[in-house]
Amino acid sequence: MRLHLPLIAAALLLGGAAQAQTKWDLPSAYPATNFHTENLTQFATDVDKASGGKLKITVHPNASLFKAPEIKRAVQGGQAQAGEILLVNYQNEWQIFGADGLPFLADSYDESAKLYKAQKPILEKKLAEQGLMLLYAVAWPPQGIFSKKPINSAADLKGVKWRAYSPATSRLAELLGAQPVTVQAAELSQAMATGVVESYMSSGSTGYDTKTYEHLKFFTDTQAWLPKNAVLANKAAFDALDKPTQAAVLKAAADAEARGWSTSKAKNNEYMELLKKNGMTIVTPSPQLKADMQKVGQAMLDEWLQKAGPEGQAVVSAYRK
């Protein structure tokens, strides 16, 4: 018991300060050097500054606190007060989470922003039902195909071991005749090194972060879709903050969203140059591959609309207005 007396004394002395400061954990699945994580870190710094040090947010990158599929549940259950998720990972839970993973529905930054606008009200409503709130969301750069050899048509992907990171990328592989293997970002480098993965679709950002150029030599720039990362907060944890601190969080989140989208755009070109510099060949998709991918995209949209029902139809209609 005596051992704990100094700690108790210190706690009493610091009582006022300890009560005044709130600490949040914010897990992310991506490396500290990824632009999403850098944006998160800036967000945490902005909150600290704007709240006068009342709210300290610790960012835990690279799946160090929770693995990618566990983050949403951790925030829902209050094990972490906030967290960053890739929305498309949760499509099986609710189809609308997967809207921005549908090939060629929204295939540019402007279209992606338009889809986000259409998706946001229903997304916020669903998250609120789950005890969560959306702080902000940022699109990844457009998705292309990383492969060992040039891909001129869907036939070239037949039987290829294809890394899937979401229900949509898994379904895409099936429709293209590839063999889907579920691998999260943190394990991708090892999966390529051991031959578990021979091809995958992602952005130049993931390709560079995982040093894909050491294993796969081609990137076909299909610009198929721009999935979004969403930063969520536990609603009860947010509600427990005083009003000025809540305002500081919301302002920092709005700034992070605007900054994140413009960084994503700028980084896309930068990543292409970095991949080239490291020996990767950047390929424009052939007309045949484009046609094959469009066909698969339409099939996936039809399937999705069937599963998503009136909610999905409402999102697509609002987006296409």
Side-chain angles (χ1 to χ4, degrees):
M1 187 65 195
R2 208 172 292 145
L3 286 171
H4 296 292
L5 284 173
L7 293 176
I8 293 164
L12 288 169
L13 280 170
L14 294 168
Q19 280 165 9
Q21 192 182 85
T22 305
K23 292 186 175 181
W24 278 16
D25 286 310
L26 198 165
S28 158
Y30 305 98
T33 51
N34 180 273
F35 78 94
H36 280 291
T37 317
E38 287 174 348
N39 196 28
L40 274 181
T41 306
Q42 185 61 55
F43 163 70
T45 303
D46 291 350
V47 168
D48 184 18
K49 211 176 282 179
S51 70
K54 273 202 256 180
L55 177 58
K56 297 266 186 198
I57 300 175
T58 304
V59 176
H60 300 270
N62 214 28
S64 55
L65 191 61
F66 293 100
K67 288 187 173 165
E70 300 163 356
I71 292 174
K72 182 170 174 281
R73 189 173 294 175
V75 181
Q76 266 177 283
Q79 292 163 282
Q81 293 73 27
E84 182 186 45
I85 66 165
L86 181 65
L87 286 170
V88 294
N89 274 357
Y90 297 89
Q91 186 180 334
N92 283 345
E93 183 189 309
W94 185 54
Q95 288 298 315
I96 310 301
F97 286 136
D100 53 3
L102 294 164
F104 305 105
L105 176 63
D107 56 1
S108 69
Y109 280 100
D110 288 347
E111 291 298 305
S112 181
K114 212 173 137 195
L115 179 60
Y116 177 37
K117 201 177 163 190
Q119 186 189 19
K120 197 177 178 183
I122 191 172
L123 187 59
E124 289 182 320
K125 186 170 172 277
K126 181 68 171 183
L127 291 169
E129 286 166 13
Q130 299 180 334
L132 296 165
M133 63 184 285
L134 176 69
L135 292 178
Y136 71 89
V138 172
W140 284 88
Q143 309 282 290
I145 305 170
F146 290 97
S147 58
K148 281 190 167 180
K149 55 182 198 269
I151 305 293
N152 296 309
S153 71
D156 292 334
L157 288 163
K158 209 161 183 57
V160 164
K161 286 184 246 175
W162 170 285
R163 175 248 177 166
Y165 63 77
S166 66
T169 48
S170 198
R171 181 66 184 134
L172 185 68
E174 287 166 9
L175 290 169
L176 290 168
Q179 192 184 320
V181 188
T182 301
V183 176
Q184 297 307 327
E187 283 104 42
L188 184 52
S189 297
Q190 195 185 351
M192 288 186 287
T194 53
V196 169
V197 165
E198 298 169 319
S199 180
Y200 72 96
M201 270 190 101
S202 195
S203 66
S205 169
T206 300
Y208 183 69
D209 283 346
T210 56
K211 297 187 176 172
T212 292
Y213 46 79
E214 290 179 357
H215 312 284
L216 312 177
K217 295 298 175 193
F218 294 89
F219 179 72
T220 307
D221 193 10
T222 52
Q223 304 198 8
W225 68 92
L226 292 81
K228 292 186 295 290
N229 274 7
V231 178
L232 313 176
N234 177 289
K235 186 74 168 73
F238 180 82
D239 289 344
L241 303 171
D242 62 34
K243 290 282 179 268
T245 307
Q246 287 182 352
V249 171
L250 296 176
K251 167 78 170 73
D255 291 347
E257 186 166 277
R259 182 175 60 240
W261 281 76
S262 61
T263 305
S264 182
K265 272 188 202 177
K267 286 276 185 184
N268 185 37
N269 300 327
E270 199 181 299
Y271 286 127
M272 290 299 123
E273 289 309 313
L274 286 166
L275 290 174
K276 267 191 227 169
K277 203 173 148 186
N278 283 282
M280 191 167 265
T281 305
I282 312 290
V283 185
T284 303
S286 68
Q288 183 59 56
L289 181 62
K290 258 186 170 170
D292 291 347
M293 294 293 284
Q294 293 278 6
K295 198 172 153 193
V296 167
Q298 189 56 54
M300 285 178 68
L301 178 60
D302 293 343
E303 286 176 4
W304 183 82
L305 284 169
Q306 216 172 349
K307 285 183 191 167
E311 284 181 327
Q313 194 57 66
V315 168
V316 172
S317 299
Y319 161 64
R320 285 184 164 158
K321 260 182 192 169

